[in-house]
Amino acid sequence: MRAGSVAVVVTEEIHLPSWDLYELSIPCTVFGKPQPDLADPWYDLRLCGMREPGAAAHPGTGLSLHTPYGLADLVDAETVIVPSVPDPCVDEGRPLPPELITALRLAHDAGARMVSLCTGAFALAEAGILDGRRATAHWLHTAQLAARYPKVRVDDSVLYVDDGDVLTSAGLTAGLDLCLHLVRRDLGAHVANQLARRMVVPAHRPGGQAQFIDQPVPATDDRGLAPVLDWARAHLDRPLTVEDLARQAAMSPRTLYRRLQAATGVTPLQWLLNQRLRRAQSLLESTDLPVSRIGELSGLGTANNLRHHFLKQIGVPPSDYRRAFPPA
């Protein structure tokens, strides 16, 4: 396992809007800041601009990024990331610069791992890199992606798609999910988990490799539930019920049910199941405990019950998940 060189395409030459800076900042944060206590050497991050290094920016773009690397440097990188493309290229069908498409094809042909965040998938699709592959993008744009590139098998139900040497993510924070997944692939679960902790984000969100978004956005932020939820997470190995949670929260089961569903978007029992799956995933990633013991510690019961819920919620059995994310 090793880190490598990561080239990030900066499309400031074709008017990068300020709101696209989020996608650009994600790979810079994950791969650009050295973490010598986690892995040394860390990644070699290269920001590759659309214009020749040192050339002046077009006036009126609102932002000028001077990078020492250009599109020609993509071909030497081990991983190439396209964070986004300008809105007119998505919404109005404005052509992407041919020099960008050529550079992406050359990098792919040279063996680079190709990655897109959000609308960056349109650039990979235009280069033909997504033909015949499953891919995703922000759900607002997946219909356009599918219509414009019918050879791409667009999946709008996932946070990201790992197709080996080509990976794509949905929008905004899903790009962070994918970048942490890349660290997990390259350097192992322990490094990815520690990096996520430093960034104060989950190492991976519920859904495991399938990455289905199975929890709606919370309707409210009920901070008063935090103590009972923390207590439940600390006692997942017990056969908890709604009544147990209500008793711990000093409220009626009906009130607990209503408040927890309003705060999390799911019922108490579904919330408990999600937490048990998270615990099982963590144990599979960080220990070599047998599946039967992990079932007990996570509160999912027998090994067969654990397998049932993994297949239903995550899409793979625990054994396959462990092989994908082996303990450090």
Side-chain angles (χ1 to χ4, degrees), residues 57-278:
H58 277 313
T61 60
L63 178 69
S64 177
L65 296 178
H66 299 278
T67 70
Y69 300 100
L71 292 178
D73 296 294
L74 298 183
V75 71
D76 297 324
E78 294 171 78
T79 299
V80 172
I81 300 177
V82 185
S84 64
V85 299
D87 288 349
C89 297
V90 176
D91 300 330
E92 303 168 14
R94 181 182 300 177
L96 286 161
E99 60 270 25
L100 170 62
I101 303 307
T102 298
L104 292 175
R105 288 172 179 157
L106 290 173
H108 182 245
D109 292 343
R113 179 173 58 184
M114 307 300 291
V115 179
S116 68
L117 312 182
C118 195
T119 58
F122 284 79
L124 297 189
E126 182 66 25
I129 296 170
L130 298 184
D131 286 357
R133 294 179 182 264
R134 179 168 165 260
T136 194
H138 194 294
W139 63 268
L140 284 171
H141 306 301
T142 47
Q144 294 163 297
L145 182 66
R148 195 172 303 169
Y149 304 102
K151 293 182 180 180
V152 182
R153 294 186 288 116
V154 179
D155 187 345
D156 63 358
S157 67
V158 294
L159 293 177
Y160 62 79
V161 173
D162 182 343
D163 197 30
D165 61 335
V166 177
L167 301 93
T168 56
S169 84
L172 300 173
T173 306
L176 179 55
D177 293 320
L178 177 52
C179 287
L180 287 172
H181 174 72
L182 291 172
V183 175
R184 187 184 302 274
R185 272 185 45 172
D186 295 340
L187 301 174
H190 175 73
V191 173
N193 291 345
Q194 292 300 312
L195 180 61
R197 182 173 291 120
R198 294 177 184 183
M199 299 176 69
V200 200
V201 296
H204 55 86
R205 288 189 272 173
Q209 295 178 92
Q211 287 295 307
F212 285 94
I213 306 175
D214 58 0
Q215 295 188 29
V217 176
T220 63
D221 182 14
D222 193 338
R223 298 180 182 274
L225 287 175
V228 68
L229 298 185
D230 289 342
W231 176 85
R233 292 188 188 97
H235 298 88
L236 290 174
D237 56 331
R238 300 182 183 181
L240 299 175
T241 65
V242 176
E243 288 72 19
D244 294 329
L245 298 181
R247 191 178 305 111
Q248 184 68 24
M251 61 182 67
S252 70
R254 178 176 295 182
T255 299
L256 183 282
Y257 189 103
R258 175 178 53 79
R259 288 180 58 180
L260 196 149
Q261 186 169 33
T264 67
V266 295
T267 67
L269 290 180
Q270 184 61 52
W271 182 87
L272 278 171
L273 177 59
N274 291 340
Q275 300 307 308
R276 296 188 194 284
L277 285 168
R278 289 187 186 184

